[in-house]
Amino acid sequence: MAGIRDVARLAGVSTATVTRALRDEPSVTAETKAKVLAAAARLDYVPSAAARALSQGRSNVLGLFVPDVVNPFYALVAQGMADRAADARYQLVIAGSHLNPERERQMVTSLHDGTFAGLAATTVGTDESFTSALTAQRGPLVLVDRRPRGLHAPLVRTDNRKVTRDAVGQFFRLGHRKVSMISGPRDFDTACQRLSGFRLAYRDAGLAVREDYISHGHLGEEGGYRAMNELLAMPEPPTAVFCFNNLVTVGALKAIRAAGLKIPTDLSLLAFDDMSLFPLVEPPITAIAQPAYEMGRAAADLLLRRIAGETDLADIVLPATLVTRESLGPPLS
């Protein structure tokens, strides 16, 4: 098990700085705190304060369980949750599964020791055994971004279907008719909701969806790169592409560049989940921005209310917004 020295070594700071950062002391800069939190998450480090609290029969530690600690979306969720937790004098521990369902299942099982006062989770595991393991997790549970099938707990999310419908509609208003989507796994409710919005945008334009323009089951840069290459290799490739999330978009962007195509002249590109990289590339990428920080704060608030004994809490649905940049344009023909 990783210790505080391991976290300090990976973050490039002293053990004293790690301690101050995990306590959210104001003397630690935001940049240093982010490094420490990322290092702790990579090493699955649980602060000794959690162990002390556990030995006393209580815990002032909240857990956040995410698929990928380096994804900017989850980093902002974590920051929002950490800030709200600190307001209530709780600490936050972050764990990442690195998009590996088996690792995720093992980590969920390890949470049954009562270390955490409550847990917020975004999962990649969706099968029955995983859902059962997460349901068996002792203590309050809140979901962020998506809900595994059969798991009943308060959820913080955005209106995926509506914002996707409106955003993809931009393609059709520009004159595109060959519009494709690089979608996520079919059993992710977020993928299903965004795909539904994509289909509704086609319907609004009075067109039938071309099923061969929908590529399912992709996560991460590698998935986006592979899917984009497959779409570009079609006899009649699309003129516009909507990507399921930010890292999928990065992979798709690499494939477009490797093919020597120009955005938006040859291909228009739209991302779900904005990130700081997108305004800096040429051309800047149009993206749907989720309020990730606010989602983290809302998740922590729900979790604190669960810890206080409240039940029957409703889901929280926050608005997402389209950030228009320069990656959308009319088709060549």
Side-chain angles (χ1 to χ4, degrees):
M1 179 179 294
I4 193 169
R5 289 184 177 83
D6 302 305
V7 176
R9 189 178 303 113
L10 182 58
V13 299
S14 67
T15 55
T17 298
V18 171
T19 299
R20 290 196 298 271
L22 293 177
R23 289 176 179 169
D24 201 26
E25 294 184 5
S27 60
V28 182
T29 66
E31 181 181 1
T32 299
K33 181 182 175 183
K35 288 181 180 178
V36 171
L37 288 174
R42 282 181 177 273
L43 295 171
D44 299 330
Y45 170 70
V46 178
S48 58
R52 289 197 301 271
L54 180 61
S55 69
Q56 297 167 6
R58 61 176 178 81
S59 175
N60 70 333
V61 179
L62 304 181
L64 174 61
F65 186 60
V66 298
D68 187 353
V69 295
V70 301
N71 186 320
F73 170 74
Y74 296 119
L76 284 171
V77 169
Q79 187 62 63
M81 192 170 174
D83 288 349
R84 178 65 185 92
D87 292 343
R89 299 187 180 279
Y90 279 76
Q91 297 184 52
L92 179 69
V93 172
I94 310 165
S97 66
H98 310 297
L99 301 175
N100 185 329
E102 180 55 38
R103 174 179 169 85
E104 191 172 68
R105 186 178 290 103
Q106 294 170 358
M107 292 171 63
V108 167
T109 303
S110 74
L111 296 177
H112 291 187
D113 60 7
T115 298
F116 299 101
L119 176 69
T122 301
T123 69
V124 293
T126 57
D127 63 25
E128 184 177 343
S129 63
F130 172 79
T131 301
S132 298
L134 193 55
T135 302
Q137 196 274 138
R138 296 191 306 177
L141 172 67
V142 168
L143 302 171
V144 181
D145 191 42
R146 57 179 169 260
R147 174 181 283 118
R149 188 181 299 110
L151 185 59
H152 302 290
L155 169 68
V156 179
R157 66 175 180 89
T158 54
D159 191 343
N160 293 283
R161 182 179 292 104
K162 180 181 184 302
V163 71
T164 297
R165 179 182 189 175
D166 294 343
V168 173
Q170 296 274 18
F171 287 142
F172 297 108
R173 288 187 283 276
L174 287 167
H176 289 276
R177 294 297 180 265
K178 303 172 186 176
V179 180
S180 66
M181 177 179 178
I182 300 177
S183 189
R186 294 175 187 267
D187 48 8
F188 278 19
D189 62 347
T190 45
C192 294
Q193 291 158 12
R194 293 169 196 174
L195 179 57
S196 176
F198 176 84
R199 292 182 182 280
L200 286 171
Y202 255 95
R203 190 186 73 179
D204 294 341
L207 299 172
V209 178
R210 280 192 53 168
E211 297 298 330
D212 57 342
Y213 278 162
I214 301 173
S215 184
H216 296 276
H218 302 288
L219 289 172
E221 291 184 27
E222 182 180 346
Y225 183 84
R226 181 175 60 253
M228 191 72 252
N229 278 328
E230 291 172 357
L231 289 170
L232 293 176
M234 294 177 66
E236 191 178 2
T239 61
V241 179
F242 167 58
C243 294
F244 166 71
N245 70 9
N246 50 13
L247 296 185
V248 166
T249 305
V250 173
L253 186 59
K254 289 180 178 179
I256 294 167
R257 296 279 193 252
L261 300 177
K262 295 188 180 300
I263 300 171
T265 307
D266 299 312
L267 190 70
S268 286
L269 185 66
L270 168 66
F272 200 110
D273 283 336
D274 201 9
M275 60 191 302
S276 58
L277 165 72
F278 289 161
L280 305 178
V281 300
E282 182 58 40
I285 304 299
T286 295
I288 295 168
Q290 296 194 89
Y293 178 86
E294 290 77 10
M295 291 172 72
R297 287 194 67 94
D301 192 63
L302 277 178
L303 203 50
L304 292 168
R305 291 168 63 187
R306 290 291 301 272
I307 291 168
E310 292 189 46
T311 58
D312 299 323
L313 296 175
D315 292 352
I316 294 177
V317 182
L318 298 175
T321 56
L322 179 65
V323 182
T324 302
R325 299 193 179 101
E326 301 171 25
S327 64
L328 273 62
L332 285 176
S333 59

mmCIF file of all heavy atoms in Angstrom, residues 184-222:
data_model
loop_
_atom_site.group_PDB
_atom_site.id
_atom_site.type_symbol
_atom_site.label_atom_id
_atom_site.label_comp_id
_atom_site.label_asym_id
_atom_site.label_seq_id
_atom_site.Cartn_x
_atom_site.Cartn_y
_atom_site.Cartn_z
ATOM 1 N N GLY A 184 -20.006 6.209 -27.211
ATOM 2 C CA GLY A 184 -19.401 5.417 -26.157
ATOM 3 C C GLY A 184 -20.001 4.027 -26.090
ATOM 4 O O GLY A 184 -20.768 3.614 -26.971
ATOM 5 N N PRO A 185 -19.679 3.275 -25.035
ATOM 6 C CA PRO A 185 -20.238 1.927 -24.876
ATOM 7 C C PRO A 185 -21.762 1.953 -24.850
ATOM 8 O O PRO A 185 -22.374 2.838 -24.264
ATOM 9 C CB PRO A 185 -19.659 1.478 -23.525
ATOM 10 C CG PRO A 185 -18.391 2.259 -23.385
ATOM 11 C CD PRO A 185 -18.681 3.592 -23.991
ATOM 12 N N ARG A 186 -22.369 0.955 -25.457
ATOM 13 C CA ARG A 186 -23.827 0.915 -25.572
ATOM 14 C C ARG A 186 -24.530 0.845 -24.221
ATOM 15 O O ARG A 186 -25.698 1.236 -24.098
ATOM 16 C CB ARG A 186 -24.253 -0.292 -26.419
ATOM 17 C CG ARG A 186 -23.828 -0.223 -27.879
ATOM 18 C CD ARG A 186 -24.200 -1.521 -28.575
ATOM 19 N NE ARG A 186 -23.687 -1.622 -29.931
ATOM 20 C CZ ARG A 186 -24.363 -1.264 -31.020
ATOM 21 N NH1 ARG A 186 -25.588 -0.775 -30.901
ATOM 22 N NH2 ARG A 186 -23.836 -1.394 -32.223
ATOM 23 N N ASP A 187 -23.851 0.290 -23.182
ATOM 24 C CA ASP A 187 -24.502 0.164 -21.885
ATOM 25 C C ASP A 187 -24.208 1.338 -20.956
ATOM 26 O O ASP A 187 -24.550 1.300 -19.778
ATOM 27 C CB ASP A 187 -24.122 -1.163 -21.206
ATOM 28 C CG ASP A 187 -22.629 -1.433 -21.228
ATOM 29 O OD1 ASP A 187 -21.864 -0.533 -21.632
ATOM 30 O OD2 ASP A 187 -22.226 -2.536 -20.830
ATOM 31 N N PHE A 188 -23.580 2.395 -21.455
ATOM 32 C CA PHE A 188 -23.459 3.639 -20.701
ATOM 33 C C PHE A 188 -24.720 4.464 -20.933
ATOM 34 O O PHE A 188 -25.070 4.748 -22.084
ATOM 35 C CB PHE A 188 -22.252 4.452 -21.170
ATOM 36 C CG PHE A 188 -20.938 4.023 -20.593
ATOM 37 C CD1 PHE A 188 -20.762 2.775 -20.029
ATOM 38 C CD2 PHE A 188 -19.866 4.892 -20.618
ATOM 39 C CE1 PHE A 188 -19.546 2.386 -19.508
ATOM 40 C CE2 PHE A 188 -18.641 4.520 -20.098
ATOM 41 C CZ PHE A 188 -18.465 3.271 -19.538
ATOM 42 N N ASP A 189 -25.386 4.884 -19.873
ATOM 43 C CA ASP A 189 -26.591 5.685 -20.107
ATOM 44 C C ASP A 189 -26.245 7.039 -20.726
ATOM 45 O O ASP A 189 -27.034 7.595 -21.489
ATOM 46 C CB ASP A 189 -27.419 5.840 -18.827
ATOM 47 C CG ASP A 189 -26.700 6.570 -17.708
ATOM 48 O OD1 ASP A 189 -25.475 6.760 -17.785
ATOM 49 O OD2 ASP A 189 -27.381 6.957 -16.733
ATOM 50 N N THR A 190 -25.045 7.562 -20.437
ATOM 51 C CA THR A 190 -24.639 8.821 -21.073
ATOM 52 C C THR A 190 -24.522 8.649 -22.582
ATOM 53 O O THR A 190 -24.945 9.521 -23.349
ATOM 54 C CB THR A 190 -23.294 9.303 -20.507
ATOM 55 O OG1 THR A 190 -22.388 8.204 -20.436
ATOM 56 C CG2 THR A 190 -23.463 9.906 -19.131
ATOM 57 N N ALA A 191 -23.959 7.525 -23.022
ATOM 58 C CA ALA A 191 -23.841 7.273 -24.455
ATOM 59 C C ALA A 191 -25.222 7.144 -25.082
ATOM 60 O O ALA A 191 -25.480 7.678 -26.172
ATOM 61 C CB ALA A 191 -23.019 6.012 -24.707
ATOM 62 N N CYS A 192 -26.123 6.447 -24.388
ATOM 63 C CA CYS A 192 -27.484 6.278 -24.914
ATOM 64 C C CYS A 192 -28.210 7.618 -25.020
ATOM 65 O O CYS A 192 -28.889 7.898 -26.008
ATOM 66 C CB CYS A 192 -28.277 5.330 -24.014
ATOM 67 S SG CYS A 192 -27.669 3.629 -24.014
ATOM 68 N N GLN A 193 -28.055 8.469 -24.016
ATOM 69 C CA GLN A 193 -28.724 9.769 -24.020
ATOM 70 C C GLN A 193 -28.172 10.670 -25.126
ATOM 71 O O GLN A 193 -28.933 11.355 -25.825
ATOM 72 C CB GLN A 193 -28.569 10.440 -22.658
ATOM 73 C CG GLN A 193 -29.339 9.749 -21.542
ATOM 74 C CD GLN A 193 -28.797 10.069 -20.164
ATOM 75 O OE1 GLN A 193 -27.978 10.967 -19.991
ATOM 76 N NE2 GLN A 193 -29.263 9.335 -19.173
ATOM 77 N N ARG A 194 -26.845 10.674 -25.281
ATOM 78 C CA ARG A 194 -26.253 11.518 -26.326
ATOM 79 C C ARG A 194 -26.585 10.982 -27.712
ATOM 80 O O ARG A 194 -26.816 11.761 -28.648
ATOM 81 C CB ARG A 194 -24.738 11.627 -26.102
ATOM 82 C CG ARG A 194 -24.396 12.383 -24.830
ATOM 83 C CD ARG A 194 -22.928 12.294 -24.431
ATOM 84 N NE ARG A 194 -22.793 12.704 -23.031
ATOM 85 C CZ ARG A 194 -21.662 12.642 -22.339
ATOM 86 N NH1 ARG A 194 -20.552 12.183 -22.909
ATOM 87 N NH2 ARG A 194 -21.633 13.033 -21.074
ATOM 88 N N LEU A 195 -26.622 9.671 -27.848
ATOM 89 C CA LEU A 195 -27.024 9.085 -29.126
ATOM 90 C C LEU A 195 -28.480 9.421 -29.438
ATOM 91 O O LEU A 195 -28.831 9.695 -30.597
ATOM 92 C CB LEU A 195 -26.814 7.573 -29.098
ATOM 93 C CG LEU A 195 -27.214 6.808 -30.364
ATOM 94 C CD1 LEU A 195 -26.474 7.336 -31.590
ATOM 95 C CD2 LEU A 195 -26.944 5.307 -30.181
ATOM 96 N N SER A 196 -29.329 9.410 -28.420
ATOM 97 C CA SER A 196 -30.725 9.783 -28.623
ATOM 98 C C SER A 196 -30.827 11.226 -29.111
ATOM 99 O O SER A 196 -31.594 11.531 -30.031
ATOM 100 C CB SER A 196 -31.512 9.614 -27.314
ATOM 101 O OG SER A 196 -32.835 10.057 -27.468
ATOM 102 N N GLY A 197 -30.036 12.124 -28.521
ATOM 103 C CA GLY A 197 -30.021 13.513 -28.978
ATOM 104 C C GLY A 197 -29.529 13.635 -30.402
ATOM 105 O O GLY A 197 -30.054 14.440 -31.194
ATOM 106 N N PHE A 198 -28.535 12.828 -30.755
ATOM 107 C CA PHE A 198 -28.007 12.795 -32.116
ATOM 108 C C PHE A 198 -29.102 12.380 -33.102
ATOM 109 O O PHE A 198 -29.295 12.997 -34.156
ATOM 110 C CB PHE A 198 -26.831 11.822 -32.159
ATOM 111 C CG PHE A 198 -26.231 11.591 -33.521
ATOM 112 C CD1 PHE A 198 -25.290 12.456 -34.036
ATOM 113 C CD2 PHE A 198 -26.592 10.468 -34.275
ATOM 114 C CE1 PHE A 198 -24.718 12.232 -35.284
ATOM 115 C CE2 PHE A 198 -26.034 10.238 -35.515
ATOM 116 C CZ PHE A 198 -25.087 11.122 -36.022
ATOM 117 N N ARG A 199 -29.856 11.336 -32.748
ATOM 118 C CA ARG A 199 -30.935 10.869 -33.621
ATOM 119 C C ARG A 199 -32.044 11.915 -33.750
ATOM 120 O O ARG A 199 -32.622 12.104 -34.824
ATOM 121 C CB ARG A 199 -31.503 9.563 -33.082
ATOM 122 C CG ARG A 199 -30.539 8.371 -33.160
ATOM 123 C CD ARG A 199 -31.205 7.098 -32.648
ATOM 124 N NE ARG A 199 -30.303 5.958 -32.665
ATOM 125 C CZ ARG A 199 -30.008 5.237 -33.741
ATOM 126 N NH1 ARG A 199 -30.566 5.555 -34.913
ATOM 127 N NH2 ARG A 199 -29.175 4.216 -33.684
ATOM 128 N N LEU A 200 -32.330 12.596 -32.652
ATOM 129 C CA LEU A 200 -33.365 13.628 -32.694
ATOM 130 C C LEU A 200 -32.951 14.786 -33.606
ATOM 131 O O LEU A 200 -33.794 15.377 -34.288
ATOM 132 C CB LEU A 200 -33.647 14.148 -31.281
ATOM 133 C CG LEU A 200 -34.433 13.202 -30.370
ATOM 134 C CD1 LEU A 200 -34.457 13.734 -28.945
ATOM 135 C CD2 LEU A 200 -35.855 13.015 -30.896
ATOM 136 N N ALA A 201 -31.663 15.112 -33.630
ATOM 137 C CA ALA A 201 -31.183 16.174 -34.522
ATOM 138 C C ALA A 201 -31.386 15.777 -35.984
ATOM 139 O O ALA A 201 -31.762 16.612 -36.819
ATOM 140 C CB ALA A 201 -29.712 16.470 -34.246
ATOM 141 N N TYR A 202 -31.133 14.511 -36.299
ATOM 142 C CA TYR A 202 -31.425 14.009 -37.650
ATOM 143 C C TYR A 202 -32.910 14.157 -37.966
ATOM 144 O O TYR A 202 -33.290 14.610 -39.047
ATOM 145 C CB TYR A 202 -31.017 12.543 -37.759
ATOM 146 C CG TYR A 202 -29.747 12.286 -38.543
ATOM 147 C CD1 TYR A 202 -28.519 12.175 -37.900
ATOM 148 C CD2 TYR A 202 -29.783 12.144 -39.924
ATOM 149 C CE1 TYR A 202 -27.354 11.927 -38.612
ATOM 150 C CE2 TYR A 202 -28.633 11.889 -40.652
ATOM 151 C CZ TYR A 202 -27.414 11.783 -39.997
ATOM 152 O OH TYR A 202 -26.269 11.552 -40.706
ATOM 153 N N ARG A 203 -33.754 13.773 -37.000
ATOM 154 C CA ARG A 203 -35.202 13.844 -37.221
ATOM 155 C C ARG A 203 -35.647 15.293 -37.426
ATOM 156 O O ARG A 203 -36.481 15.586 -38.284
ATOM 157 C CB ARG A 203 -35.940 13.244 -36.024
ATOM 158 C CG ARG A 203 -37.439 13.056 -36.268
ATOM 159 C CD ARG A 203 -38.155 12.606 -35.015
ATOM 160 N NE ARG A 203 -38.260 13.707 -34.043
ATOM 161 C CZ ARG A 203 -38.864 13.590 -32.860
ATOM 162 N NH1 ARG A 203 -39.377 12.424 -32.495
ATOM 163 N NH2 ARG A 203 -38.938 14.618 -32.047
ATOM 164 N N ASP A 204 -35.078 16.199 -36.630
ATOM 165 C CA ASP A 204 -35.426 17.612 -36.772
ATOM 166 C C ASP A 204 -35.099 18.132 -38.168
ATOM 167 O O ASP A 204 -35.776 19.028 -38.687
ATOM 168 C CB ASP A 204 -34.670 18.461 -35.740
ATOM 169 C CG ASP A 204 -35.097 18.173 -34.303
ATOM 170 O OD1 ASP A 204 -36.193 17.604 -34.111
ATOM 171 O OD2 ASP A 204 -34.331 18.521 -33.387
ATOM 172 N N ALA A 205 -34.037 17.553 -38.758
ATOM 173 C CA ALA A 205 -33.623 17.978 -40.098
ATOM 174 C C ALA A 205 -34.413 17.270 -41.195
ATOM 175 O O ALA A 205 -34.192 17.525 -42.394
ATOM 176 C CB ALA A 205 -32.129 17.713 -40.286
ATOM 177 N N GLY A 206 -35.341 16.376 -40.802
ATOM 178 C CA GLY A 206 -36.149 15.657 -41.783
ATOM 179 C C GLY A 206 -35.391 14.573 -42.507
ATOM 180 O O GLY A 206 -35.746 14.199 -43.639
ATOM 181 N N LEU A 207 -34.362 14.015 -41.854
ATOM 182 C CA LEU A 207 -33.520 13.006 -42.492
ATOM 183 C C LEU A 207 -33.545 11.705 -41.697
ATOM 184 O O LEU A 207 -33.749 11.704 -40.479
ATOM 185 C CB LEU A 207 -32.068 13.505 -42.578
ATOM 186 C CG LEU A 207 -31.823 14.773 -43.397
ATOM 187 C CD1 LEU A 207 -30.391 15.240 -43.216
ATOM 188 C CD2 LEU A 207 -32.122 14.519 -44.869
ATOM 189 N N ALA A 208 -33.309 10.611 -42.392
ATOM 190 C CA ALA A 208 -33.165 9.304 -41.751
ATOM 191 C C ALA A 208 -31.715 9.109 -41.341
ATOM 192 O O ALA A 208 -30.792 9.452 -42.089
ATOM 193 C CB ALA A 208 -33.592 8.194 -42.704
ATOM 194 N N VAL A 209 -31.508 8.578 -40.124
ATOM 195 C CA VAL A 209 -30.145 8.347 -39.636
ATOM 196 C C VAL A 209 -29.477 7.234 -40.435
ATOM 197 O O VAL A 209 -30.071 6.184 -40.680
ATOM 198 C CB VAL A 209 -30.171 7.957 -38.153
ATOM 199 C CG1 VAL A 209 -28.752 7.677 -37.652
ATOM 200 C CG2 VAL A 209 -30.808 9.048 -37.319
ATOM 201 N N ARG A 210 -28.248 7.478 -40.852
ATOM 202 C CA ARG A 210 -27.449 6.420 -41.469
ATOM 203 C C ARG A 210 -26.729 5.661 -40.366
ATOM 204 O O ARG A 210 -25.820 6.173 -39.717
ATOM 205 C CB ARG A 210 -26.440 7.024 -42.454
ATOM 206 C CG ARG A 210 -27.028 7.369 -43.800
ATOM 207 C CD ARG A 210 -25.958 7.692 -44.821
ATOM 208 N NE ARG A 210 -24.926 6.662 -44.942
ATOM 209 C CZ ARG A 210 -24.026 6.636 -45.932
ATOM 210 N NH1 ARG A 210 -24.061 7.579 -46.875
ATOM 211 N NH2 ARG A 210 -23.119 5.690 -45.984
ATOM 212 N N GLU A 211 -27.153 4.415 -40.130
ATOM 213 C CA GLU A 211 -26.604 3.641 -39.020
ATOM 214 C C GLU A 211 -25.109 3.378 -39.181
ATOM 215 O O GLU A 211 -24.388 3.230 -38.192
ATOM 216 C CB GLU A 211 -27.369 2.325 -38.872
ATOM 217 C CG GLU A 211 -28.837 2.497 -38.513
ATOM 218 C CD GLU A 211 -29.047 3.182 -37.172
ATOM 219 O OE1 GLU A 211 -28.188 3.022 -36.281
ATOM 220 O OE2 GLU A 211 -30.070 3.881 -37.025
ATOM 221 N N ASP A 212 -24.638 3.306 -40.441
ATOM 222 C CA ASP A 212 -23.212 3.053 -40.634
ATOM 223 C C ASP A 212 -22.365 4.266 -40.274
ATOM 224 O O ASP A 212 -21.134 4.171 -40.184
ATOM 225 C CB ASP A 212 -22.920 2.620 -42.078
ATOM 226 C CG ASP A 212 -23.392 3.632 -43.110
ATOM 227 O OD1 ASP A 212 -24.234 4.493 -42.783
ATOM 228 O OD2 ASP A 212 -22.920 3.557 -44.262
ATOM 229 N N TYR A 213 -22.993 5.405 -40.031
ATOM 230 C CA TYR A 213 -22.275 6.593 -39.581
ATOM 231 C C TYR A 213 -22.171 6.666 -38.054
ATOM 232 O O TYR A 213 -21.635 7.628 -37.520
ATOM 233 C CB TYR A 213 -22.958 7.864 -40.090
ATOM 234 C CG TYR A 213 -22.604 8.243 -41.513
ATOM 235 C CD1 TYR A 213 -23.410 9.135 -42.219
ATOM 236 C CD2 TYR A 213 -21.470 7.744 -42.147
ATOM 237 C CE1 TYR A 213 -23.098 9.512 -43.521
ATOM 238 C CE2 TYR A 213 -21.161 8.103 -43.429
ATOM 239 C CZ TYR A 213 -21.969 8.987 -44.124
ATOM 240 O OH TYR A 213 -21.650 9.350 -45.413
ATOM 241 N N ILE A 214 -22.699 5.662 -37.351
ATOM 242 C CA ILE A 214 -22.607 5.632 -35.889
ATOM 243 C C ILE A 214 -21.622 4.536 -35.491
ATOM 244 O O ILE A 214 -21.826 3.360 -35.794
ATOM 245 C CB ILE A 214 -23.974 5.361 -35.244
ATOM 246 C CG1 ILE A 214 -24.982 6.448 -35.661
ATOM 247 C CG2 ILE A 214 -23.845 5.327 -33.726
ATOM 248 C CD1 ILE A 214 -26.394 6.165 -35.194
ATOM 249 N N SER A 215 -20.557 4.931 -34.817
ATOM 250 C CA SER A 215 -19.529 3.988 -34.371
ATOM 251 C C SER A 215 -19.630 3.859 -32.850
ATOM 252 O O SER A 215 -19.435 4.831 -32.117
ATOM 253 C CB SER A 215 -18.134 4.489 -34.777
ATOM 254 O OG SER A 215 -17.145 3.548 -34.441
ATOM 255 N N HIS A 216 -19.944 2.653 -32.373
ATOM 256 C CA HIS A 216 -20.251 2.436 -30.957
ATOM 257 C C HIS A 216 -19.048 1.923 -30.169
ATOM 258 O O HIS A 216 -18.129 1.313 -30.711
ATOM 259 C CB HIS A 216 -21.367 1.395 -30.819
ATOM 260 C CG HIS A 216 -22.680 1.807 -31.402
ATOM 261 N ND1 HIS A 216 -23.591 2.572 -30.720
ATOM 262 C CD2 HIS A 216 -23.229 1.551 -32.623
ATOM 263 C CE1 HIS A 216 -24.653 2.778 -31.479
ATOM 264 N NE2 HIS A 216 -24.462 2.168 -32.639
ATOM 265 N N GLY A 217 -19.097 2.165 -28.849
ATOM 266 C CA GLY A 217 -18.232 1.451 -27.914
ATOM 267 C C GLY A 217 -16.861 2.035 -27.672
ATOM 268 O O GLY A 217 -15.948 1.297 -27.294
ATOM 269 N N HIS A 218 -16.692 3.343 -27.811
ATOM 270 C CA HIS A 218 -15.345 3.909 -27.750
ATOM 271 C C HIS A 218 -15.108 4.748 -26.507
ATOM 272 O O HIS A 218 -15.969 5.522 -26.083
ATOM 273 C CB HIS A 218 -15.083 4.750 -28.998
ATOM 274 C CG HIS A 218 -15.242 3.976 -30.265
ATOM 275 N ND1 HIS A 218 -14.333 3.020 -30.664
ATOM 276 C CD2 HIS A 218 -16.225 3.980 -31.205
ATOM 277 C CE1 HIS A 218 -14.729 2.484 -31.800
ATOM 278 N NE2 HIS A 218 -15.879 3.044 -32.144
ATOM 279 N N LEU A 219 -13.920 4.575 -25.919
ATOM 280 C CA LEU A 219 -13.467 5.376 -24.790
ATOM 281 C C LEU A 219 -12.002 5.755 -25.011
ATOM 282 O O LEU A 219 -11.250 4.989 -25.618
ATOM 283 C CB LEU A 219 -13.597 4.609 -23.476
ATOM 284 C CG LEU A 219 -15.013 4.372 -22.932
ATOM 285 C CD1 LEU A 219 -14.964 3.436 -21.735
ATOM 286 C CD2 LEU A 219 -15.682 5.687 -22.547
ATOM 287 N N GLY A 220 -11.589 6.905 -24.528
ATOM 288 C CA GLY A 220 -10.187 7.293 -24.564
ATOM 289 C C GLY A 220 -9.705 7.697 -25.943
ATOM 290 O O GLY A 220 -10.409 7.560 -26.953
ATOM 291 N N GLU A 221 -8.473 8.192 -25.983
ATOM 292 C CA GLU A 221 -7.883 8.646 -27.240
ATOM 293 C C GLU A 221 -7.755 7.516 -28.254
ATOM 294 O O GLU A 221 -8.014 7.706 -29.448
ATOM 295 C CB GLU A 221 -6.504 9.261 -26.976
ATOM 296 C CG GLU A 221 -6.544 10.572 -26.212
ATOM 297 C CD GLU A 221 -5.168 11.182 -26.071
ATOM 298 O OE1 GLU A 221 -4.296 10.923 -26.943
ATOM 299 O OE2 GLU A 221 -4.941 11.907 -25.090
ATOM 300 N N GLU A 222 -7.362 6.344 -27.788
ATOM 301 C CA GLU A 222 -7.182 5.211 -28.704
ATOM 302 C C GLU A 222 -8.490 4.852 -29.395
ATOM 303 O O GLU A 222 -8.530 4.598 -30.610
ATOM 304 C CB GLU A 222 -6.645 3.998 -27.948
ATOM 305 C CG GLU A 222 -6.379 2.795 -28.834
ATOM 306 C CD GLU A 222 -5.838 1.612 -28.069
ATOM 307 O OE1 GLU A 222 -5.416 1.787 -26.905
ATOM 308 O OE2 GLU A 222 -5.843 0.499 -28.634
#
